[in-house]
Amino acid sequence: LALSQDTDTMEHPVRKWLREKMSLFGKSTEDYCAYGMEGNPVFTQRLQTLQANIMGLSPRPVRNLRIFTETVATSTDGPTQLFLDTVNTKENFWGSSIHES
C-alpha cells in the first residue's frame, strides 16, 4: 500500500475501500475509529509509520487509528510471553504466538 497520493486525481485506497463498505450502512468512514494489536516487535516500526501516515492524511480514512504494537490480547491479565517465529519470512512470521509450539 502506497501511503502517498496525488490528491488531485485519486482517492487514497484505504479511504476508498472503507468509504464503500460504510456507505452500505449509511455512514461515513469519518464516523469510525479503528484499533489494532500486533504482538510481534518485527512489525512495530512499520505499523507506527502506517499509523502516523494515515493520521496525517486529510481527509482521514477514519476518525482515529490506533495500533497497539508489542501488545497481545489474552484471557489472562498481566504480562505474557510471546513466542516469535523468526524463520518464516516468506509468510510474514505467521507462526508467532502466545502458545509455545
Side-chain angles (χ1 to χ4, degrees), residues 2-93:
L3 296 177
S4 62
Q5 66 179 10
D6 179 350
T7 56
D8 294 334
T9 60
M10 67 179 271
E11 181 176 31
H12 190 277
V14 172
R15 179 177 167 72
K16 180 180 178 184
W17 181 85
L18 287 169
R19 183 181 47 76
E20 290 169 355
K21 299 304 177 203
M22 294 302 103
S23 69
L24 298 173
F25 303 101
K27 297 288 184 178
S28 166
T29 58
E30 292 86 3
D31 293 328
Y32 292 89
C33 297
Y35 297 90
M37 289 186 190
E38 175 54 59
N40 192 332
V42 167
F43 302 109
T44 297
Q45 184 61 50
R46 191 177 342 169
L47 291 171
Q48 288 173 342
T49 299
L50 175 68
Q51 177 180 293
N53 286 335
I54 288 177
M55 291 303 294
L57 292 173
S58 182
R60 290 182 188 155
V62 293
R63 180 173 296 185
N64 185 49
L65 171 66
R66 177 68 169 100
I67 302 171
F68 296 90
T69 56
E70 301 181 28
T71 302
V72 298
T74 72
S75 60
T76 305
D77 191 18
T80 192
Q81 185 172 6
L82 181 62
F83 299 93
L84 297 178
D85 171 357
T86 59
V87 296
N88 288 309
T89 56
K90 181 180 175 189
E91 302 299 337
N92 225 5
F93 308 105

